[in-house]
Every structure is written in C-alpha cells, then in structure tokens.
C-alpha cells in the first residue's frame, strides 16, 4: 500500500512538472515514417512542435529545427492528431463489473470520482487527448470538476467537453423501484415543458456544461423504447443551447425519437438504432451527425452471453450493422464514439476497429476520430496536424490505413505539447 501511494504521489508530482514545462518555447522534432494530418496520410513527413503548438509539418526539407530541439526518432511508426472520443462516460465502468443501477445507487460520489480519475488517465494513455463526456449518470456536476482538475495539471487526463447531468423527461429514466414512494437518485436531470426545459438547459450551462445532452426516447413505453420529449421541447432545448454557442447531443434509439430530434435541429444523434434510409437522408440534408456506438451494442450483447464469431449475431447487433450501412450510404457525417464506460476505458479504439469491420474505409475512420469530431463538436485548433494547431499528438505502430488494429499499439502521447507517454 505504501508503495502504491508513493507511486501515485510521484505520478501527480511529475504531471505538475510537465505542465510547467509547456509554458516555455522548447522545440521537439518528431520524425515518423508517415503523418496523418487529419485528412490525408503523408509518407516521410516530420512534425516540429514549439511549446504547445505545431510549428511546422511537412517534408523534411521544408522544416528547419533549431540545434536545441529535442529529436524523437519514430522509425516505422505513424503520427496522427490526438484521437477524439465522441461518446464517453468517465464516471461509469463496465456493466459486467457492476450494473448501471448499482453504480448509480450504491457507489459513493467519492468512489465514482476516484474511478473517473483512473479512467481519465487510461483514456489519455490510449492516445485519446480529448473526450466528449455525455453525462455523469447520477454524479451531478462532478465532470465539470474533473475537467478543471485536468486543465490545472492536478491529474493527467484528456481535454473534456462535459454534459454534466444530462436531461431526461420526468418518469422516464432510471434507476426505478417498484416502491413508487421511494425517492431514488436519478441518472439525469428531470425536466418537462418549454419552461422546464429552458431552465434545465440554462442551469446545466451555468454549472459548466459544454454540450447539452437529452434523451429523446427511452425504455419507458408499454412495449419498450418510446419517445420522451415532444418535438417542441427538443426544439426549445436546441434554441436555448445554440444561442450560447453550445452543441446538442441526443440519445435516440427509436424511429420517432430520431425524427423529432432531426426536426429539432440537434447537432448529433447518439446510437441511432431506429434509423431508416429516409431519416438518414434527412440527417444528411440538415447536417446532423451520427455517433453510432457500435462497441456498446456489442459489449452489452456479450454481457448477455453472446460470443462473437461463435454465436449468431443477436437482433440488436444485426440492427446496428443495418443502420450503420444505411448511414454510410446516405453520406451522413459519422462521429467516432463508442459509449466507453459501458466497456473499459482505455479500450476506446475498439470502436475504430469495429467501424472498419462494419464497412467504413480506414481513412474515413481516422478522419472521424480526429478532424471530423473536432469540426462537429466545435473544437478549435484540434483534430489536425497543422501549423498553429495545439500539439495534441499520438504515435502508433505500423500504418492504421493498412491495419486499423495498430491504433491499439500506442507508442507516444502528447497533449498540449507535453509528452505523457513516450518510447
């Protein structure tokens, strides 16, 4: 125990030291075999970092590094922008360890925050330098505090876009009890009507929300999943959120829930299991992106006993294959986001691998994981290897265009010009 505490102390102290170092104008020259700039792969490129910014990127002959520059030889490796996780829950851990209900009801806020600190570090070490965290699921506004601690250099972790409590219709969300009079912690903030929705959105913004998350449907219908908010309620949420410059993410797994969300003009639809060719065409026309969360679907099926590659695909997995294929056909913008927390943090890249397995081109998956997520989420100076952009960089073995599994072989992680993991 003493050794563990000592190691943690050293880790935190080192993090603080690194955070101070990025304030100077030190140079680092990274020399990989190839560079993915957020759009295209370039063989033979180098990248020069000055302080926390990208100073130059391109052919070696175009880059002039000072004699004082730290040289990092990355022979045989690929350099990319730091990956951006599009759908994360740092305050959750896999449901086969502890069910969602029990995490919300029986794990203290202190325990959940302690877990989130560990999850943040695991995420960063996996090459994900930014996450969009879509709800604390009963842990209040603690994600805003976690974001602040990371930003101050108190703990290592990715940049965070936080949704705080998320917004649900009264009576729709869990946890629930057969004892109607029992007051339980809820996994989201309940709100109803145009006035109630307006208040909830503004309150969450006031408590630190960067993105507004709503549940357009949930499993509260007589026959399962059913819509929750009306189209007008969703439109109100979008209007209030977007007037402050914030994006809106909507959980939706039904056709009607998706239709209402699309008509309301949300930014992204999460899951999208009720998608149809007609709805995906409409999403394309309105510029609404899909975050398909393939990994969560497969993880939940595996917790129910499904053995991938051995058993026949269950209906929910077949449906995910269908909607993903139809979204690609329609040209819908695809965000990379796995709903990590349902499965282990640090294994975020399994979503990238599944996106290829489900039919997306590897180069498009890399774009979704970097520049496209940055664009959809409104992240400035991130997601690309460009002069003047923040030096968020990941280096992996081999060439992910040839084999996406190489994204699991992370050799170097830099965030804001600071190296957290290196050869």
């Amino acid at each position: 125990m003493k050794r563990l505490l000592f190691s943690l102390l050293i880790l935190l102290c080192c993090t603080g030291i690194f955070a101070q170092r990025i304030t100077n104008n030190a140079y680092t020259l990274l020399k990989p075999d190839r560079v993915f700039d957020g759009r295209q792969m370039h063989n033979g490129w180098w990248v020069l970092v000055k302080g926390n910014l990208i100073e130059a990127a391109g052919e070696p002959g175009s880059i002039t590094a000072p004699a004082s520059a730290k040289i990092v030889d990355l022979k045989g490796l690929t350099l990319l922008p730091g990956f951006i996780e599009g759908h994360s829950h740092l305050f959750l851990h896999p449901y086969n360890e502890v069910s969602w209900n029990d995490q919300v009801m029986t794990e203290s806020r202190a325990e959940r925050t302690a877990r989130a600190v560990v999850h943040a570090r695991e995420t960063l070490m996996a090459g994900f330098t930014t996450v969009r965290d879509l709800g604390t699921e009963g842990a209040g506004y603690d994600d805003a505090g976690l974001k602040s601690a990371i930003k101050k250099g108190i703990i290592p972790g990715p940049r965070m876009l936080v949704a705080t409590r998320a917004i649900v219709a009264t009576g729709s969300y869990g946890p629930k009890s057969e004892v109607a009079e029992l007051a339980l912690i809820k996994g989201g903030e309940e709100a109803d009507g145009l006035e109630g929705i307006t208040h909830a959105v503004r309150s969450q913004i006031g408590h630190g929300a960067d993105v507004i998350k709503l549940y357009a449907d949930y499993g509260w219908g007589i026959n399962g999943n059913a819509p929750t908010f009306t189209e007008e309620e969703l439109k109100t949420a979008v209007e209030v959120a977007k007037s402050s410059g914030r994006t809106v993410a909507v959980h939706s797994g039904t056709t009607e829930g998706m239709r209402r969300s699309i008509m309301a003009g949300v930014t992204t639809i999460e899951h999208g299991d009720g998608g149809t060719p007609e709805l995906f065409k409409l999403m394309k026309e309105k510029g609404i992106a899909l975050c398909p969360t393939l990994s969560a679907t497969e993880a939940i099926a595996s917790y129910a006993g499904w053995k991938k590659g051995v058993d026949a695909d269950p209906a929910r997995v077949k449906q995910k294959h269908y909607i993903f294929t139809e979204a690609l056909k329609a040209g819908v913008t695809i965000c990379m986001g796995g709903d990590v927390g349902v499965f282990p943090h640090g294994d975020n890249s399994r979503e990238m691998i599944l996106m290829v397995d489900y039919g997306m081109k590897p180069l498009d998956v890399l774009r979704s994981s970097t520049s496209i997520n940055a664009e959809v989420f409104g992240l400035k100076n991130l997601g690309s290897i460009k002069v003047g952009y923040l030096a968020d960089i990941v280096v992996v073995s081999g060439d992910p265009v040839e084999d996406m599994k190489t994204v699991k072989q992370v050799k170097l992680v830099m965030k804001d010009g600071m190296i957290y993991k290196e050869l």
Side-chain angles (χ1 to χ4, degrees):
M1 180 59 72
K2 288 182 179 179
R3 288 181 178 177
L4 175 59
L5 291 174
F6 180 74
S7 297
L8 288 172
L9 179 62
I10 292 296
L11 171 63
L12 293 177
C13 288
C14 289
T15 301
I17 292 169
F18 289 152
Q20 293 172 20
R21 286 178 181 169
I22 66 170
T23 61
N24 62 31
N25 290 322
Y27 286 87
T28 302
L29 180 60
L30 303 164
K31 301 166 63 175
D33 274 12
R34 64 196 68 82
V35 171
F36 175 71
D37 66 2
R39 290 293 175 182
Q40 301 295 334
M41 190 71 78
H42 304 275
N43 290 321
W45 269 29
W46 290 355
V47 175
L48 180 65
V49 173
K50 179 184 180 183
N52 69 332
L53 299 176
I54 296 171
E55 178 81 359
E59 298 289 341
S62 69
I63 296 177
T64 302
S68 62
K70 176 183 178 181
I71 308 297
V72 183
D73 190 2
L74 301 168
K75 184 69 175 176
L77 308 180
T78 300
L79 183 150
L80 312 94
F83 297 135
I84 300 172
E85 170 61 63
H87 191 131
S88 174
H89 294 281
L90 289 173
F91 285 81
L92 292 176
H93 57 103
Y95 299 171
N96 62 332
E97 297 175 356
V98 179
S99 71
W100 181 87
N101 270 16
D102 284 348
Q103 289 184 48
V104 175
M105 292 192 295
T106 69
E107 293 181 351
S108 70
R109 292 274 285 276
E111 177 184 343
R112 297 190 68 192
T113 298
R115 288 182 181 275
V117 169
V118 174
H119 298 158
R121 184 180 185 279
E122 290 172 337
T123 300
L124 181 61
M125 293 301 103
F128 288 78
T129 55
T130 302
V131 300
R132 187 178 63 149
D133 204 65
L134 292 182
T136 61
E137 305 292 333
Y141 308 104
D142 291 352
D143 54 352
L146 181 68
K147 171 187 173 180
S148 179
I150 292 171
K151 188 174 182 179
K152 291 176 181 178
I154 298 169
I155 58 172
R159 302 172 187 277
M160 293 183 68
L161 292 174
V162 301
T164 69
R165 298 171 65 189
I167 301 172
V168 299
T170 298
S172 65
Y173 207 53
K176 294 182 179 180
S177 169
E178 293 182 2
V179 180
E181 298 79 13
L182 184 62
L184 296 173
I185 298 171
K186 292 296 181 183
E189 179 177 2
E190 295 185 327
D192 308 290
L194 305 189
E195 184 176 343
I197 290 288
T198 298
H199 175 77
V201 171
R202 288 177 177 160
S203 175
Q204 291 197 6
I205 290 172
H207 284 90
D210 304 302
V211 53
I212 298 303
K213 162 84 174 291
L214 300 103
Y215 284 75
D217 45 48
Y218 203 67
W220 74 322
I222 293 175
N223 296 310
N225 284 345
T228 52
F229 293 117
T230 66
E231 188 175 315
E232 287 304 310
E233 287 174 317
L234 292 170
K235 283 182 178 178
T236 297
V238 170
E239 181 180 3
V240 175
K242 289 192 174 180
S243 70
S244 70
R246 285 167 173 80
T247 57
V248 178
V250 171
H251 165 113
S252 183
T254 68
T255 300
E256 178 59 18
M258 286 184 66
R259 187 198 67 77
R260 295 180 190 181
S261 300
I262 294 166
M263 298 310 297
V266 304
T267 307
T268 65
I269 290 178
E270 313 300 307
H271 314 301
D273 292 351
T276 65
E278 293 75 22
L279 287 179
F280 289 131
K281 180 182 178 182
L282 197 56
M283 286 178 67
K284 170 66 175 176
E285 291 172 356
K286 290 182 173 290
I288 296 171
L290 173 69
C291 192
T293 65
L294 311 176
S295 297
T297 298
E298 291 207 357
I300 290 171
S302 71
Y303 301 156
W306 174 59
K307 295 182 177 59
K308 185 174 182 177
V310 176
D311 301 330
D313 289 348
R316 67 181 70 176
V317 173
K318 290 180 180 178
Q319 179 65 12
K320 191 66 84 173
H321 274 279
Y322 169 75
I323 68 104
F324 192 69
T325 299
E326 291 302 319
L328 289 177
K329 285 181 183 177
V332 172
T333 298
I334 304 293
C335 293
M336 196 293 294
D339 206 355
V340 59
V342 175
F343 60 96
H345 297 276
D347 194 20
N348 306 62
S349 57
R350 77 155 73 174
E351 182 75 7
M352 299 168 70
I353 295 168
L354 281 183
M355 290 166 80
V356 174
D357 290 345
Y358 276 51
M360 196 170 185
K361 295 178 180 178
L363 202 59
D364 288 335
V365 172
L366 295 180
R367 291 169 181 147
S368 289
S369 309
T370 55
S371 60
I372 287 177
N373 271 2
E375 180 181 350
V376 173
F377 305 157
L379 296 168
K380 303 297 183 184
N381 300 324
L382 287 171
S384 297
I385 304 297
K386 289 184 179 180
V387 175
Y389 273 51
L390 291 169
D392 281 19
I393 290 169
V394 60
V395 175
V396 303
S397 293
D399 183 352
V401 172
E402 298 298 324
D403 181 5
M404 189 57 67
K405 292 183 180 65
T406 62
V407 295
K408 285 185 171 292
Q409 300 170 28
V410 175
K411 301 301 181 181
L412 182 145
V413 177
M414 175 184 285
K415 190 190 82 170
D416 207 29
M418 181 173 73
I419 296 178
Y420 285 85
K421 180 178 184 178
E422 62 182 324
L423 297 170

